Amino acid sequence: MSQFADVLLPLSIQGTFTYRIPPTMAPVVGSRVLVPFGRKKFYTAIVVMLHDKAPQGYEVKDLLSVLDPYPIVRHPQLKFWEWIADYYLCTQGEVYKAAIPSGLKVESETIVSPNADFEEEAPGVLSDRERVILDFTAQRGRIQISDIANATGFKNVEGIVSRLLDMGAIHVSERTIDNYRPRTETCVRLTIAHNDEQSLHALFDQLHRAQKQEQLLLAYLDLSHWLGKGKQPLEVTKEALLKRAEVTDAVLRAAAAKGIFELYKKEVNRFATLGKSLIALPTLSAEQERAYREIHQSFREKSITLLHGVTSSGKTSIYMHLVKDALDLGQQALYLVPEIALTTQLTRRLKAVFGERLLIYHSKFSDNERVDIWRKLLLSNEPCVVIGVRSAVFLPFSKLGVVIVDEEHENSYKQQDPAPRYNGRNAALVLASMHGAKVLLGSATPSIEVYHRALGGQYGHVELLTRYEGIQMPVVKVIDTKQARKRKEMSGLFSQELIKMCRHALQNGEQVILFQNRRGYAPIVRCKECAWVPTCENCDVTLTYHKSTRSLSCHYCGHTITLPNLCPTCGQPGIEIYGYGTERIEDDIDAVFPGEKISRMDLDTTRSKAAYDRIIDEFSSHKTNILVGTQMVTKGLDFDAVSIVGILNADTMIRFPDFRSHERAFDMMEQVAGRAGRAHKQGQVVIQTSEPEHPVIGHVINHDYKGFYEEELAERKRYGYPPFARIINIYLKHRDDAVVNEVAVRYVNMLLPIFGTRVLGPEAPSVGRVQNLYIRQVVLKMEIQASMTKVKKILRNIYEQMIELDSRMKAVRLYYDVDPV
């Protein structure tokens, strides 16, 4: 048996750590173990290697316990984590922390308790805050540091606790906590032995005066098949028994008190009753059938295929047929979507066909729910289809046969903060290759990089350029807002033409979607007397007004204040709001169409798991007929009755200072336009812009993706951007602007001799301070063929040299964003 285990910790620390295996323990590669780390911390680690080579130069600690008799990660998950860490320039510990549900990570929390023997040496030794915390701890006995911070409102509670610990006023200990709580249900059984007829007769005699308890006994005998010969009785849940007997919980408690019934808890899977297959697969049209056959033909030659299908062409039906093919072969399928909102509609369609073989996985599920899905996949090799967002790539698949990446162009597939800053689409390609699975990338507006690879022969390429049942693409009408304002044809953000078209649609029983890619009520608040503008105290941004809470909020750090009645600078009641967010549009459109029911879909209205379902259900069932939303409404939602889509301000998308801004603008406008006219009627799209002659607008009018692609590709080639280069953004952050600037300049001077003209910067980004950290950005343009492993090694060496040369580098937070979107 091996003597040592190399383990991976869920921390942003390079490498693995070696622990001694006690004789009583037998961990396996991939299992969880509880290990001490540092002075008093405990973490759940993953065993990555077992060996007999003793480390030299330090004392090796023992494993505290083995949490699993079997691996909780499968092959090739550890290899997949290693690839993500190498490619996205982060640590494997950061990947582990993101990959495993929190419910599977046992960690420790700091517990503070008072020292009963402590006496203050002299009056005034303790500060006011130290005395408050000491008194609070004495009242509570044992308390977590986080609870002290919440109760007192003090900042830097850890520092105060540290000083009290040095004085001997308190004791500090660590308690391990297991976040996972299995779902249980209460079951009922008789206290007598099965087939003991004499005891059963005695029970009836005992209950002959208690009619409701007798009903309970009869119901139990029926549900459990107690009287069946040669078979053990079935388990009976408390819920089923009370329902069958038509009695209350009090009756059951009374019968249990008499010793007739015993109640016990049973662990159940949260997803064991998803239902059975209800309907057949959708029948494919002739065009869909052609595309489906071409995809299979492409899969014989290529592992990855792009399905370029216009909006409402029926790509989902083809996906379902491909999933069914995989399940028939005994394989598993992964169906990735960019937004949780998409899982709501898709889940119903997939559930109706695949029933209990469907699993859903995303961040709105609780930790316990995600653990149950993880364990279901881990302990079963049965064919199933998982629908989820980017984090679903980390699940422990055993027989992955096909991966569908719907709306592959979406930047929601890219994780921003914290690390790993991976792209779910690209990670899915690597995951599939490790499993030998096929990948279908689907989109009406493929990303420039993917379409370039498809045309270059690296990927298969299948087109579906007609809408289902021959529905025409929507007619796009452009309204010049400059001219409309001159003619006084604008009411706030709405042109008279748009209002007229919306009114006509609503009178005909049709529906309207209004798109504004900015949440909140208004982005700017200003005093008309002195020009005061409220800004965030932690970030270099103005605060956004939210009318529902009468608050001003920072969308970067969450800092919130109440909107003042008087200007805090000049004291005058001159505060006005400017600009439009989705909340204000909802208010204004309600005034234009009084009596119409309106829904709003943005981050503020979809914070809970049920919120997506409610908004989509209400709109689908015509309980609401106007949907106002941010980019959430652009992503593959299917509403048959929508005939008008209004893009209220296209300028903000086109003018954004980023090399991908035109691609994002085209994608969003074409995708939101695709929500119009999806069932038996051609829809209409209104684009309001002050630049009607802009080339991107022209391509949207003609639904001309190929023309847009050729124009954009030429620009990218001219200036050396993807797909002709790989971009790595390097960010440096520090609380002192001068320090981060000096360190960034010095860091770049060390990059230049190695990378030369590939280095751009350092520059402060458009938002130069977030959460009190000043930011500098360095852009590294690398050749596509460059090895990310070698680049990571070089960057790591330069970082270590910087720490040796400039001690301030230790306090600077440095991280990498590979392939930013």
Side-chain angles (χ1 to χ4, degrees), residues 16 30 113 141 257 341 389-390 419 445 454 591 599 698 723 797:
T16 58
S113 57
V389 292
R390 60 176 180 260
T445 54
S599 288
N797 288 339

Side-chain angles (χ1 to χ4, degrees), residues 699-717:
H699 292 306
V700 175
I701 291 172
N702 298 315
H703 304 291
D704 181 17
Y705 172 80
K706 291 182 179 179
F708 166 76
Y709 165 78
E710 290 168 0
E711 191 174 282
E712 184 70 10
L713 192 72
E715 287 284 301
R716 301 272 186 96
K717 189 172 186 178

Side-chain angles (χ1 to χ4, degrees), residues 118-190:
F118 173 73
E119 293 182 4
E120 193 173 358
E121 293 180 359
V125 170
L126 293 177
S127 69
D128 291 342
R129 291 196 168 198
E130 288 168 349
R131 189 176 298 283
V132 167
I133 289 180
L134 185 59
D135 291 345
F136 185 69
T137 305
Q139 293 171 12
R140 299 291 294 272
R142 287 172 57 81
I143 188 170
Q144 298 176 39
I145 285 183
S146 58
D147 289 338
I148 296 174
N150 292 335
T152 62
F154 294 165
K155 295 182 178 180
N156 191 28
V157 168
E158 293 85 353
I160 301 173
V161 167
S162 178
R163 291 195 295 274
L164 289 171
L165 181 63
D166 291 340
M167 295 178 195
I170 58 172
H171 300 298
V172 171
S173 60
E174 293 292 319
R175 182 181 72 186
T176 57
I177 52 173
D178 188 346
N179 295 313
Y180 176 64
R181 296 292 180 271
R183 181 181 179 182
T184 60
E185 63 182 3
T186 303
C187 294
V188 181
R189 59 191 169 207
L190 286 176

Side-chain angles (χ1 to χ4, degrees), residues 380-397:
S380 171
N381 293 324
E382 294 178 1
C384 65
V385 52
V386 176
I387 181 171
V389 292
R390 60 176 180 260
S391 58
V393 299
F394 293 118
L395 286 168
F397 296 99

